[in-house]
């Protein structure tokens, strides 16, 4: 019976003083990344874009939403707008700065969408009453490349009407603001 035991693979002795997670030499070390499966090609880190001097373009639809900051982003009539990417080229995260100093961060490893930005803003304002907000409607975002490449400035307005007095229901009309 002892012959059968020796044919099985033998267990090696483990020494608890030896840490096998640290490689024996630098050439054996592996670069450890976090969740490579969740990164999407074509979606950039804003810091990398800043180094390359890439020009960002903000989706113009953000100026026509007439969205109240303390209401859910899903309350918007046009649900397709929420799925659109906030920027071109798509980025993984962006800081959204309000004029009075508040900052929120919108994140999405597949590219920050308009809804992601609105969700980040809504999280800060959902418990505020209407009378607590001086300018409760989103007017859009501004990107000041010189001041801070990695932040968008959030603009607010007092009323939720269309910016140029036009009706939102006219679909064929395009307004350049």
């Amino acid at each position: 019976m002892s012959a059968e035991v020796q044919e099985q693979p033998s267990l090696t002795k483990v020494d608890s003083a030896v840490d096998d997670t640290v490689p024996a030499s630098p050439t054996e070390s592996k670069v450890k990344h976090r969740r490579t499966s969740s990164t999407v090609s074509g979606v950039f880190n804003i810091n990398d874009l800043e180094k390359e001097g890439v020009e960002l373009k903000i989706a113009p639809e953000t100026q026509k939403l007439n969205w109240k900051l303390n209401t859910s982003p899903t309350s918007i009539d046009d649900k397709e707008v929420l799925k659109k990417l906030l920027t071109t080229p798509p980025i993984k995260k962006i800081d959204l700065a309000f004029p009075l100093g508040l900052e929120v961060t919108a994140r999405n490893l597949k590219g920050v969408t308009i809804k992601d930005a609105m969700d980040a803003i809504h999280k800060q304002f959902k418990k505020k009453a209407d009378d607590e907000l001086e300018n409760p409607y989103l007017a859009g975002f501004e990107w000041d490349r010189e001041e801070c490449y990695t932040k968008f400035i959030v603009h607010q307005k007092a009323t939720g009407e269309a910016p140029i007095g036009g009706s939102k229901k006219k679909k064929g009309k395009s307004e350049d603001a």
Side-chain angles (χ1 to χ4, degrees):
M1 192 159 184
S2 64
E4 290 177 24
V5 174
Q6 289 186 7
E7 288 176 16
Q8 294 176 348
S10 62
L11 295 173
T12 57
K13 186 175 179 184
V14 178
D15 186 356
S16 62
V18 176
D19 185 2
D20 63 346
T21 60
V22 178
S25 69
T27 56
E28 290 179 25
S29 67
K30 294 181 201 169
V31 178
K32 294 180 181 175
H33 294 285
R34 294 179 64 191
R35 292 190 195 169
T36 54
S37 63
S38 61
T39 58
V40 176
S41 62
V43 179
F44 302 95
N45 183 324
I46 193 155
N47 295 324
D48 296 340
L49 293 176
E50 182 178 19
K51 289 175 191 165
E52 296 172 22
V54 176
E55 188 73 24
L56 293 176
K57 290 182 177 61
I58 302 173
E61 292 87 353
T62 59
Q63 298 173 13
K64 301 172 189 151
L65 292 173
N66 293 320
W67 172 63
K68 203 169 196 181
L69 302 180
N70 61 356
T71 61
S72 172
T74 55
S75 65
I76 288 182
D77 297 333
D78 190 0
K79 304 286 186 231
E80 289 302 309
V81 170
L82 298 177
K83 297 176 188 172
K84 291 190 176 184
L85 291 170
L86 181 64
T87 62
T88 307
I91 53 176
K92 294 178 185 176
K93 80 170 197 172
I94 186 70
D95 292 328
L96 305 170
F98 287 84
L100 295 176
L102 174 69
E103 270 190 32
V104 296
T105 303
R107 293 180 178 85
N108 187 337
L109 293 176
K110 296 176 183 172
V112 174
T113 62
I114 293 174
K115 183 179 186 312
D116 296 324
M118 292 170 69
D119 284 341
I121 294 169
H122 177 248
K123 192 173 183 181
Q124 290 295 319
F125 290 98
K126 64 183 175 186
K127 293 183 180 167
K128 299 266 186 196
D130 289 349
D131 59 352
E132 291 180 70
L133 299 172
E134 191 174 317
N135 294 318
Y137 291 92
L138 178 71
F141 301 102
E142 176 189 354
W143 180 54
D144 189 348
R145 182 182 186 143
E146 276 71 43
E147 189 174 317
C148 187
Y149 190 97
T150 60
K151 289 181 189 169
F152 287 171
I153 300 163
V154 179
H155 290 283
Q156 297 165 261
K157 56 187 176 180
T159 59
E161 289 120 29
I164 310 177
S167 175
K168 192 176 181 182
K169 293 180 181 171
K170 293 179 184 172
K171 298 223 175 200
K173 187 178 178 184
S174 65
E175 297 175 4
D176 292 332

